[in-house]
């Protein structure tokens, strides 16, 4: 063994000398660093704020389903809205949206949030439930109910929660926020209803439970066993119950004599001691007011008193049933006993009956929500109308038509100021403030799904095109759609591109390319071909002066001038549909891909030039230029990615991605996923900002990131685990395979919304003739943000945004024993700001770097920036852009930006590819803060003028005196 190798241990490992071993270690370390740089996580899901995705055409997934419910948080400032198998959290004060980092197995059917906002329970359409720590987004426990869960609610004190279980109601003890082996403990089952339970409610002290079902009845139980109590059944409706609600216990009982009149004085001696009222709402628009009283109440001032023996018996029953003690020391002072014990020897009666609509045959009640504290009832109808009523007088406060489709769910926030509505068919989410009659939020996605996307040059705006032919603009920071362009396309959009920050171009299957103005939000130019065709690809040059579109048939490329709108040239030469187009980042060179197996490079500014052809062995479906323009990547239907040198036309390298992109098995596939070639190729590719990596997606559930120089797969993302989508599972369950093919295992298909469907003779379930199809899981387009901090992909569920902004990754560089956080603080105390900043950049911790930047005096910024070497400029710009995003010190950070550009501007210009990602991130933040400050100044223009004139006046007076 060589002595040199033995000294370091390399010889013992079989490497011989240190050189080869160090190379291997360096390669592994470099690979891990690249993995850390691409540690993207799903930040938000745009394109849908409520409901489940629908398939293209008339066959819509869960079109007969009522949809899930919407929940407000305890402070009433945030809304939890289920979207497919995920939960969106919409902050109405900060106007932002985020997606919880958990996924259900299938589409979500019901959610419930505890009163203290600690626990969130999610139940999907296949009865699988998840217990989640809401604040941390961590799954604590998974379990499964045996039957469909149509309604679920926590008790007001948060100790228990109730779920519907067919014709029964189950009450479970609320588990803690820590992980346990079996946290779910069943308290009791409650029976008595003949039909399935559809709605339930708790009393204010969590001791009484009220539930209604499809048998047009409601039933009142006590949560714990109460001596001498018999559950009551409330009847009087002709249609299934949609809502049951308890009135607050401190409301008056003034209307009791209307039903029990003549039995004696029922004045204020019992006010607040009983459950005064409850309300039941049926599907045909009838609301009944129910009240209860003691059966043995007599005339005079005599009050029923519980004897000592009876009190002892009640305490014993409570002890052995797990309930509260009946002694006065354990109960509220104002009541003496809880509401469950007060229901003993009570009768329920109907005092009034009201009707929401005179024509109930055409307008059904679909959803209700009640605020007991404010006595406000919100009702959603099947015609898209909602009403706000004050109970018990049933005074109509507000009525408004929100949509043409059914309002599947309604919710009212704790302060009763905001009303939330969800329309499952159109995937609309609306937040309405009824006092000012204004929309707080109004979001809806593309009908039949999203198809294409494009980032603006600053990365703030994302433009998307849908199957419905509409163009929507999304704010990448908030996640909300802020404008929907007037629909001009008559067919699906196939591509969208930004010509400049104020102009968006879109191509469509209707044979047109349209230009949209982002200032006036209108279509100002339409580009058409000389013969009818369908455009399936589009590209715009960097100057925004030339737009090209490739057609499916005839096989050619049309070139227009953006300003004049004239067709300047037609490029022919492909023998198949032109599937992809891409412009050179600097020169006027156009790359095109076609199903004829070739990629061509055209020079648009030479009239008689012959295009250079790159031959491929299979059909080419996508093409992309590297950011420096020296390389082209093409993807074929065999999953092969080929990289070509633009100057000499040589093949640089190949990456075989068939096994990486291989998707799952669909319901109607006759072959396994291993033998299915339809999902084993890429349909969209894009380079990273520095050109070292490639992002690729296709007709499968995966999106892959490749390192080009090493030809390795860095990371693979699965965009969805939703089993309600087609193609998620690699293997189908054999129990769902019948003689005629696969059997749909979606249990939610027939349990809701089919009450109006005609019943066929001899059929066990209703069938209105409609058929459903599952949405296929795939990615139609992928795109990197110009900042490099996030990338997005379009799927059947919407726009998935993966971001690095929320990742706190400790990635130290060139550390020594002397580089510690304590040393950084010591240098700050010694006023060695440059050394402190260098040490903090070596540690690469955001909080530490931010504290050093903000502790640096304003006059010392220029000196500190000059002390930073070129190896740290990119990281410093990234930290400044992130710190400036939420900092009030705008002028201070602008001075940092100015000094960085003046000192290192030439360096960044020479190495544009290296610093492009950091510079775009900084530009995005500066542009965003400029827009915010501009809007504030515009809104307070006259106030600022007044303050300025007053300051000048005071200065003049002081000068004169």
């Amino acid at each position: 063994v060589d002595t040199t190798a033995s000294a370091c241990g390399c010889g013992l490992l079989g490497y011989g000398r240190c050189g080869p071993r160090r190379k291997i270690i360096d390669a592994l370390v470099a690979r891990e660093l690249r993995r850390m740089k691409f540690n993207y996580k799903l930040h938000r899901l745009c394109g849908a704020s409520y409901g489940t995705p629908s398939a293209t055409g008339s066959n819509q997934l869960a079109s007969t389903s009522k949809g899930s419910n919407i929940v407000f948080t305890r402070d009433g400032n945030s809304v939890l809205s289920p979207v497919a198998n995920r939960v969106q959290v919409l902050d109405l004060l900060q106007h932002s949206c985020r997606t919880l980092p958990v996924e259900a197995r299938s589409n979500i059917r019901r959610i419930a949030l505890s009163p203290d906002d600690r626990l969130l329970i999610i139940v999907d359409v296949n009865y699988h439930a998840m217990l989640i720590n809401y604040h941390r987004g961590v799954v604590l426990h998974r379990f499964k109910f045996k039957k469909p869960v149509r309604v679920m609610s926590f008790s007001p004190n948060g100790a228990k929660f109730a779920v519907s279980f067919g014709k029964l109601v189950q009450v479970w003890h609320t588990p803690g926020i820590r992980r346990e082996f079996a946290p779910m403990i069943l308290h009791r089952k409650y029976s008595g209803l003949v039909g399935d339970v559809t709605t339930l409610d708790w009393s204010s002290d969590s001791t009484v439970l009220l539930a209604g079902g499809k048998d047009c009845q409601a039933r009142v139980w006590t949560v714990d066993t109460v001596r001498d109590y018999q559950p009551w059944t409330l009847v009087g409706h002709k249609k299934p119950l949609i809502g049951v609600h308890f009135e607050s216990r401190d409301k008056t009982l003034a209307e009791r004599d209307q039903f029990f009149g003549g039995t004696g004085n029922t004045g204020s001696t019992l006010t607040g001691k009983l459950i005064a009222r409850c309300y039941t709402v049926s599907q045909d628009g009838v609301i009944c007011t129910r009240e209860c009283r003691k059966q043995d109440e007599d005339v005079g001032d005599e009050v029923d008193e519980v004897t000592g023996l009876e009190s002892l018996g009640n305490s014993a029953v409570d002890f052995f049933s797990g309930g509260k003690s009946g002694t006065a020391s354990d109960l509220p002072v104002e009541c003496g006993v809880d509401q469950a014990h007060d229901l003993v020897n009570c009768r329920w009666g109907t005092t009034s009956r009201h009707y929401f609509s005179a024509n109930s045959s055409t307008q059904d009640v679909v959803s209700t929500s009640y605020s007991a504290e404010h006595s406000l009832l919100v009702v959603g109808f099947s015609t898209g109308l909602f009403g706000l009523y004050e109970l018990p007088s049933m005074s109509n406060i507000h009525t408004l038509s929100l949509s043409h489709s059914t309002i599947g769910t309604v919710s009212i926030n704790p302060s009763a100021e905001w009303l939330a509505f969800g329309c499952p068919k159109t995937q609309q989410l609306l937040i309405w403030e009824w006092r000012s009659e204004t929309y707080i939020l109004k979001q809806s996605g593309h009908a039949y799904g999203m198809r294409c996307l494009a980032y603006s040059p600053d990365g703030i705006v994302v433009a998307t095109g849908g199957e419905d032919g509409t163009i929507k603009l999304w704010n990448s920071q908030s996640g909300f759609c802020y404008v929907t362009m007037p629909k001009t396309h008559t067919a699906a959009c196939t591509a969208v591109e930004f010509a400049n920050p104020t102009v968006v171009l879109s191509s469509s299957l209707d044979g047109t390319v349209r230009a949209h103005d982002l200032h006036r939000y209108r279509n100002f130019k339409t580009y058409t071909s000389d013969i009818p065709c369908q455009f399936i690809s589009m590209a715009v040059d960097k100057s925004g002066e030339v737009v090209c579109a490739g057609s499916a048939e005839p096989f050619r490329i049309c070139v227009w001038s953006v300003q004049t709108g004239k067709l300047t040239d037609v490029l022919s030469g492909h023998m198949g549909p032109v599937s992809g187009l891409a412009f050179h980042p600097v020169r006027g060179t156009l790359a095109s891909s076609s199903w004829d197996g070739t990629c061509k490079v055209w020079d648009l500014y030479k009239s008689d030039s012959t295009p250079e052809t790159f031959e491929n062995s299979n059909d080419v479906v996508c093409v992309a230029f590297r950011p420096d323009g020296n390389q082209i990547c093409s993807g074929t239907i065999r999953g092969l990615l080929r990289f070509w040198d633009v100057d000499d036309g040589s093949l640089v390298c190949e990456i075989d991605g068939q096994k990486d992109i291989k998707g799952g098995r669909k319901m109607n596939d006759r072959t396994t996923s291993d033998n299915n070639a339809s999902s084993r190729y890429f349909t969209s590719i894009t380079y990273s900002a520095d050109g070292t990596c490639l992002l690729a997606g296709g007709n499968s559930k995966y999106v892959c990131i490749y390192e080009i120089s090493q030809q390795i797969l860095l990371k693979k993302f699965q965009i969805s685990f939703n089993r309600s989508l087609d193609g998620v599972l690699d293997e189908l369950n054999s129990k769902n395979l019948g003689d005629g093919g696969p059997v749909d295992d979606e249990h939610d298909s027939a349990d809701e919304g089919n009450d109006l469907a005609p019943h066929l003779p001899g059929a066990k379930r209703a069938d209105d003739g409609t058929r459903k199809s599952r949405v296929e899981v795939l990615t139609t387009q992928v795109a990197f943000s110009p900042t490099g901090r996030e990338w997005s992909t379009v799927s059947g569920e919407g726009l998935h945004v993966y971001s690095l902004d929320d990742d706190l990754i400790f990635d130290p560089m060139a550390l020594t024993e002397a580089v510690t956080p304590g040393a950084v603080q010591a240098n700050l105390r010694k006023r060695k700001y440059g050394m402190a900043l260098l040490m903090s950049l070596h540690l690469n911790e955001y909080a530490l770097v931010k504290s050093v930047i903000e502790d640096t005096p304003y006059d010392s910024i220029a000196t500190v920036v000059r002390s930073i070497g070129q190896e740290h400029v990119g990281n410093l710009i990234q930290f400044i852009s992130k710190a400036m995003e939420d900092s009030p010190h705008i002028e201070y950070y602008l001075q940092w930006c100015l000094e960085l550009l003046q000192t290192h501007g030439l360096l960044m210009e020479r190495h544009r590819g290296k610093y492009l990602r950091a510079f775009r991130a900084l530009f995005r933040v500066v542009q965003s803060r400029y827009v915010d400050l501009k809007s504030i100044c515009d809104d307070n223009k006259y106030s600022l003028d007044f303050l300025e004139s007053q300051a000048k006046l005071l200065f003049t007076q002081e000068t004169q005196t």
Side-chain angles (χ1 to χ4, degrees), residues 291-307:
E291 293 186 358
C292 70
R293 71 179 288 262
K294 291 282 187 181
Q295 293 183 0
D296 54 352
E297 279 186 357
D298 296 327
V299 182
D301 296 330
E302 298 180 3
V303 179
D304 295 335
E305 296 181 358
V306 181
T307 63

Side-chain angles (χ1 to χ4, degrees), residues 563 768 897 903:
Q563 292 184 352
D768 58 355
C897 299
T903 305

Side-chain angles (χ1 to χ4, degrees), residues 927-940:
Q927 181 71 15
S928 175
R929 300 311 300 267
Y930 168 76
V931 172
D932 296 340
L933 189 62
K934 181 177 181 298
S935 61
I936 294 175
C937 295
D938 291 342
D939 295 340
N940 301 274

